[in-house]
Amino acid sequence: MQVAGLARRSSRAFRAPFSLFPKLLINDETPSPSPNFPPISSRQCHSLSIFSLQNLRIPEWQHQKCMLAFTAPFCSRAEVVEGSPTEAVSELYGKILESVKVKRSAPPNAWLWSLIEKCRNKDDIKLLFDILQHLRIFRLSNLRIHDNFNCNLCLEVAKACSRVGAIDFGKKTLWKHNKYGLSPTIRSANQLLSYAKMHRDPKLMVEVMKLLKRNDLPLQPATADVVFSICYDTDNWELISKYSQRFLKAEVKLRRTTFATWMEFAANRGDTESLWKIEKLRSDLYKQHTLKSGFSCAKSISSFCLSLQGFVLEQKPDAAAAIIQVLYQILPDSKRPEMMVELQKLVSEWPSEVIKHQKEDRKALYAALQANIPAMISSLLSMGVAVSVNTEDFRRTEALLS
């Protein structure tokens, strides 16, 4: 009686997947389970559910749902599976798969775009890449289309991977040869680099840069902007020096914001030699933005003030004051408050940064800054520049010497 009752319960469990999922996901030739099961305990239900799935041709993500369906009749409590695909993505996945596998017809493009947009976790991304592979095969065998999907779709796939943190899948969007029909682009790479910047992950940045080189993707100014920011945020001068040479060798025209980040990093380290080399590169690209002419927007003010730090480090406070006066005269009234903010940063924040990166002669550097910064402020006042700078924060820099 016990064996017969168990057999009836087992047969109901084995029929569960056929009503839960589309027929195209199931192998119609799956052998029927034997009715001669031995008595089973609740601890054995997990093993039985795994056995029952061995002959089903269904994606890996659906094993979890089938596990619950099989386990529930035998166990007193079914556990909730976390991270399973969302209902909206599962539904679209089934519709697209049925179209290409059963109906042998091309599904509407809107279904795929909607699936990409609705991805909310890594299991959704797994379904996305699985359906991309099926669509790739369908396009080749049925439609005789050998081209990859367009670049915009690849970009949206990369965005979806970055959005949910499925970076391993995101890297696949940069492969020149892939089974998903994706067209790698530098814009997709920039999405992954932006993710690395958000999470302050230089290791991921290095991996993406290697993929760019391996797959012959051309570097762009936007790529340099993100890479330099990551190096600056993670205080990695070696990496920014390495990749700056790579961008320059590729003849990438660096943006003004990229130069500003690079120069600020050099200034914070007290590296005047590198600072002036960078300024030379910047002035060669942007003739209108030399030290004597100044900049005409708020972002360029920041880069300009970084050049002033070189004069302060080289103990030329009068030269620094002269440059500030020129900038003060050419800037419109609406931009002058922003210049004062940058000047305040030069006085209160920058000294601590440069001393922190200085390994030797910290006391000598502090003494030089202590003399040159007030001298620069005095020169500005004598030139008629109305400045109001708080020097209290600079005095706190002395604590770094201990």
Side-chain angles (χ1 to χ4, degrees), residues 12-30:
R12 287 197 301 270
F14 278 101
R15 287 197 299 270
F18 290 87
S19 60
L20 287 174
F21 304 104
K23 293 182 179 180
L24 57 100
L25 299 177
I26 306 297
N27 181 4
D28 294 334
E29 299 178 358
T30 302

Side-chain angles (χ1 to χ4, degrees), residues 25-122:
L25 299 177
I26 306 297
N27 181 4
D28 294 334
E29 299 178 358
T30 302
S32 301
S34 173
N36 299 319
F37 281 97
I40 186 169
S41 65
S42 60
R43 293 184 179 179
Q44 293 173 306
C45 65
H46 184 72
S47 299
L48 177 61
S49 62
I50 293 176
F51 170 79
S52 66
L53 290 172
Q54 288 179 347
N55 294 321
L56 298 179
R57 294 180 184 173
I58 60 179
E60 180 181 354
W61 67 272
Q62 289 189 349
H63 281 246
Q64 293 179 332
K65 289 189 175 182
C66 292
M67 292 275 285
L68 287 180
F70 294 148
T71 304
F74 298 100
C75 300
S76 59
R77 182 181 62 182
E79 297 180 359
V80 177
V81 178
E82 296 182 358
S84 58
T86 58
E87 183 178 354
V89 170
S90 300
E91 181 181 352
L92 286 167
Y93 173 86
K95 291 169 64 176
I96 298 174
L97 197 58
E98 182 181 11
S99 179
V100 298
K101 285 290 187 181
V102 178
K103 298 179 180 179
R104 297 292 179 180
S105 62
N109 290 334
W111 286 0
L112 179 58
W113 286 93
S114 180
L115 192 153
I116 296 172
E117 182 183 357
K118 293 180 183 299
C119 285
R120 292 296 179 266
N121 57 43
K122 294 181 181 180

Side-chain angles (χ1 to χ4, degrees), residues 116-117 119 125 128 155-166:
I116 296 172
E117 182 183 357
C119 285
I125 297 296
L128 170 60
L155 175 61
E156 292 304 316
V157 171
K159 287 181 179 180
C161 293
S162 299
R163 185 173 63 247
V164 305

Side-chain angles (χ1 to χ4, degrees), residues 270-313:
D271 190 346
T272 55
E273 182 179 357
S274 297
L275 179 62
W276 294 122
K277 287 181 179 179
I278 301 167
E279 168 56 26
K280 176 63 166 60
L281 293 171
R282 187 205 62 75
S283 61
D284 288 342
L285 284 175
Y286 303 104
K287 297 296 184 181
Q288 72 277 21
H289 291 160
T290 62
L291 291 175
K292 293 182 179 180
S293 63
F295 302 135
S296 59
C297 64
K299 288 183 178 180
S300 60
I301 295 175
S302 176
S303 183
F304 184 80
C305 286
L306 296 175
S307 302
L308 301 180
Q309 294 165 356
F311 281 123
V312 177
L313 285 171

Side-chain angles (χ1 to χ4, degrees), residues 17 65 226 239 314 331:
K65 289 189 175 182
V226 182
L239 275 182
E314 294 182 350
L331 282 177

